[in-house]
Amino acid sequence: MKFSQALKMAFMSLKSNRMRSFLTMLGIIIGVLAVTMLISTVQGATSEVTEQIQSLGSNLLIVNVMSPKETYYTVEDLEALESRDSIAGVAPVVSRSASLKAGANTTTASVEGVTAKYGRIRNLSLSAGRFLCDIDVTARSANAVIGSETAETLFGTGDCIGNTLYIEGRAFTVVGLLTETKNSMIGSSDNVVIIPITTAQRLMQSKEIPMIYISAETADSVEEAQVAVDRFFLRELGDEDYFTILSQAAVLSLLDEVMGTMTILLGSIAGISLLVGGIGIMNIMLVSVSERTREIGIRKAIGAQRADILTQFLIEAVVLSLTGGLIGLALGALGLSLISTAFDLTARLTVSTAALALGFSAVVGIVFGSYPANKAARLRPIDALRYE
Amino acid sequence: MIEMLGIRKTYWMGDNPVHALNGVSLTVGDHEFVAIVGPSGSGKSTLMNIIGCLDTADEGVYRLDGQDISDYSERDLGVVRSRKIGFIFQQFNLLMKLTAYENVELPLIYQGLPAGDRKGRVTEALERVGLGDRMDHRPNQLSGGQQQRVATARALVTRPSLILADEPTGNLDSQSGTEIMALLESLYLEGNGLLLITHDRDIAARAGRRLHIVDGVIESDSGEGERV
C-alpha cells in the first residue's frame, strides 16, 4: 500500500472523530506551546544580555582588586603596563558613591576617578562638552563629566556645561555630558560623575586603586595581555586570590553556560507536558484499536497485510501529534510576539526551536503510537472478525 | 485446487476442548461449486476459515494450488488471502464510513495497484453486480441486498480463483437472496471456484457438490464432477 493512501485513510478516520482527535491533540498543543515559549524567551533574553556584554568591546579586560592589605601600586606603575605590545591602554578607576548638590537639587551618584584614557577604553561618547584630559589629571583639577541622568536631576533638561556642582561639599565645574546609554542590564552608567583620578583620591582620602580597565591591542592579543596583567598583579599583590581578571570572553562563556542550563531545565519541564500529551495519544489509540477490532478484521480478510494495519495506525498517531505540534507552534509564535511587545523583549521563534518542537512531537507520535499500532497489526483476522 | 488431509482444530471453552474439526480430508478442484451444509456448531465455518486462510489448523496438511500452506505464518497467509481468495460474509462486513466505491477499491489498494488501474476495475466490478449507479452511496444508504452486492463486488474485484461465501443469503429477504445467488452462480459459470455455507436446502440443491458436516467430520460428500 502506498504511503499517500495510508495518509488519506488516517485523515479520514481522524476526521470522523473530530472532538476526540482535537482533545487528544490538545496535550501536544500545550506541550509544544510551552516548549517553544520557554526556550524562545530564554534565548531572547540571552541574546539581549550577550549584545550588551559585547558592546563593552571585545578587547577589554577588567581587573578587580580585593586585597586585604593596603596596595602600593600607583597610577604611574599601572601606566608602565602600557609599554607591553599586547596592551593598548590602561585605565585605573577609583569609585565611591557620593552625595551631589547643584543649586537646590541633590542626588546620590557613583563618583568615578579616572585618567584621560578611560573615555576611549570604555568607548564613552559625549553629547556635549569634552572628556577629561591629561592636564586635568596632573593638575588635580576640579572638572567633572556627568551622566545624562545625573545631569537631568541636578540641572534639568537645559545645558549644563560650565555649571557648578558640589561633590560632598567641594565645587566642580561640569565640562562634559555623557550620551545616554539607556537602561542596561549590567548597570546603568547614566547616574555617574567622572572626575580626575588624582582629585578623587584626595577626595576619598585613599591611594588604593580597586579597579582597572585594560584594553588589548586587538581581539587576538587579549590572551597575551591577560597573561601580562596577571603577572603584574601577582607581583604587586603576592597572591592570585587578591584579584580577578574578567574578560569579555570569560563573561560570555559563563553566560552561555548559565543560559544553556536554563534552556535545558525549562525545556525538560515543558518536555514533560509533551510526554503527557504522548500518553494521551497512546491511550486514545488503544481505545480506537479496540473499537475498530472488527474493522481491522475486515481489512485483513480482504487483503490487508500486517504492515498495512501497522502503518495505518502509526500514521494516525503521528498525524495527531504533528498536527498538534504545528498548532502549538503557531500559537507559540503568536504568544511570543505578544510577549515581545508587552515586555520589550526580543523573543523570536528560531528555526531550530521550531524544528526541535516538531521533531519531538513526531517522535512522541511514533513512540506512543507504535504500541497500539502493533497491537492492531497483530490481531488474528479470525478473532478480529468475531469481535462484537 | 484445495487439498486437505487430516485437518484438526480444537477450541478451548475454559477447560473443555471443543473439537471443531476432527480429521477432515477433502479435495476440491479448481472449478467447482460446493455447498457446505450441516447443523450449527458442526465446524463448517471453521473449515471455511481455514480454507480461506483466516485461521490455521492445529493438525493436518493443507495445500492450496499445490502450495503447502499448513505452516505459513500470519504474514504469508495474508498474502495468499489477498491474491487468491474473495470473501463474502453473512453480515456483509462493509466499512460503514466508506462509500460503495471505496469499499470495493480497498482490496486493490492493499494489493498495491496504482490509482489509475483501480478505477476501471472498481467500476467494472460494481457494474457487474448492478450497482453502477450507486457507487457513491454509503452502506447505510443501501438495502441489505445492495450491501451484499457491494460485498460481492469487493470479493470479485481482485479476480480471485476462489470465492468463499459464509451464508451469503442468511440476512436477506428471499427476493434479494435469489438475486445474490443468481449473481454467485453466474460468477461460477464464468470460471470462479465457489464454496458456500448455507442452511437453505434449495440453494444447496443447486450446487454441484454438497458436503455435509456433522461434529467436525464430513458425514457425506456428494462427490466431484457434478454440474448444476
Side-chain angles (χ1 to χ4, degrees), chain A residues 1-2 5 9 12 16 294-295 298-306 308 312 380-382 385-386, chain B residues 11 49 54-55 74-75 78-79 81-82 87 89 91 93 95 97-98 106-107 109-110 114 118 154:
Chain A
M1 187 173 50
K2 289 228 188 66
Q5 202 66 45
M9 278 188 197
M12 269 174 64
S16 66
R294 199 173 168 79
E295 175 193 327
I298 296 170
R299 285 178 187 272
K300 283 197 158 190
I302 62 171
Q305 310 297 319
R306 199 173 264 195
D308 295 327
Q312 186 189 343
R380 293 178 63 229
I382 189 68
L385 271 175
R386 284 208 192 111
Chain B
Y11 295 110
N49 289 334
L54 285 175
D55 205 352
E74 222 291 286
R75 187 190 306 263
V79 177
R81 221 158 41 223
S82 167
F87 274 105
F89 302 93
Q91 310 91 325
N93 277 348
L95 295 187
K97 286 170 194 158
L98 303 184
L106 219 46
I109 291 174
Y110 287 133
R118 293 200 297 261
R154 185 179 65 183

Side-chain angles (χ1 to χ4, degrees), chain B residues 17-105:
Chain B
V18 177
H19 300 287
L21 290 178
N22 214 344
V24 169
S25 298
L26 173 70
T27 303
V28 179
D30 274 338
H31 185 221
E32 283 198 60
F33 175 7
V34 182
I36 304 174
V37 293
S40 300
S42 59
K44 351 182 254 304
S45 289
T46 306
L47 179 62
M48 177 160 280
N49 289 334
I50 292 174
I51 291 173
C53 300
L54 285 175
D55 205 352
T56 49
D58 297 334
E59 268 178 62
V61 178
Y62 174 26
R63 274 196 289 272
L64 185 64
D65 294 339
Q67 251 179 319
D68 186 349
I69 59 173
S70 319
D71 297 325
Y72 270 30
S73 66
E74 222 291 286
R75 187 190 306 263
D76 297 329
L77 287 177
V79 177
V80 175
R81 221 158 41 223
S82 167
R83 296 215 183 116
K84 298 193 169 169
I85 291 160
F87 274 105
I88 299 167
F89 302 93
Q90 182 179 0
Q91 310 91 325
F92 322 138
N93 277 348
L94 298 174
L95 295 187
M96 301 310 277
K97 286 170 194 158
L98 303 184
T99 62
Y101 181 93
E102 287 164 337
N103 265 292
V104 176
E105 189 185 23

Side-chain angles (χ1 to χ4, degrees), chain A residues 148-307:
Chain A
S148 57
E149 194 187 323
T150 319
E152 210 181 312
T153 324
L154 293 180
F155 304 109
T157 45
D159 184 22
C160 60
I161 305 296
N163 287 3
T164 304
L165 71 87
Y166 293 86
I167 304 173
E168 303 199 328
R170 247 195 94 177
F172 284 79
T173 311
V174 177
V175 295
L177 177 63
L178 292 172
T179 311
E180 196 179 338
T181 57
K182 289 207 182 103
N183 189 19
S184 150
M185 287 199 187
I186 30 175
S188 165
S189 47
D190 287 338
N191 189 21
V192 72
V193 177
I194 297 172
I195 59 175
I197 188 166
T198 45
T199 320
Q201 280 176 329
R202 179 165 291 183
L203 188 76
M204 298 170 193
Q205 292 174 336
S206 164
K207 285 273 178 198
E208 286 189 27
I209 302 168
M211 191 181 211
I212 303 101
Y213 288 85
I214 295 165
S215 70
E217 279 294 345
T218 63
D220 292 333
S221 58
V222 169
E223 271 182 55
E224 200 183 321
Q226 187 159 359
V227 171
V229 170
D230 190 64
R231 201 169 296 150
F232 173 84
F233 282 98
L234 195 57
R235 198 177 59 234
E236 290 290 336
L237 302 170
D239 193 325
E240 58 188 16
D241 289 343
Y242 294 166
F243 65 97
T244 56
I245 305 173
L246 272 183
S247 66
Q248 189 202 40
V251 175
L252 280 181
S253 81
L254 187 72
L255 178 81
D256 233 38
E257 208 172 295
V258 171
M259 289 310 203
T261 316
M262 280 270 278
T263 307
I264 290 171
L265 191 76
L266 290 175
S268 357
I269 291 172
I272 289 173
S273 62
L274 255 180
L275 217 62
V276 174
I279 293 169
I281 286 185
M282 177 137 105
N283 196 10
I284 225 61
M285 290 304 295
L286 282 171
V287 170
S288 171
V289 167
S290 76
E291 273 181 359
R292 285 152 69 188
T293 301
R294 199 173 168 79
E295 175 193 327
I296 294 165
I298 296 170
R299 285 178 187 272
K300 283 197 158 190
I302 62 171
Q305 310 297 319
R306 199 173 264 195

Side-chain angles (χ1 to χ4, degrees), chain A residues 18 24 39-40 47 72 90 97 101 105 107-108 125 146 162 174 194 207 227 234 280 315 360 365 377:
Chain A
R18 268 168 231 263
T24 312
I39 292 183
S40 300
S47 70
Y72 297 106
V90 177
S97 144
K101 187 169 184 292
N105 300 322
T107 184
T108 305
S125 65
I146 62 178
V174 177
I194 297 172
K207 285 273 178 198
V227 171
L234 195 57
I315 285 179
F360 202 72

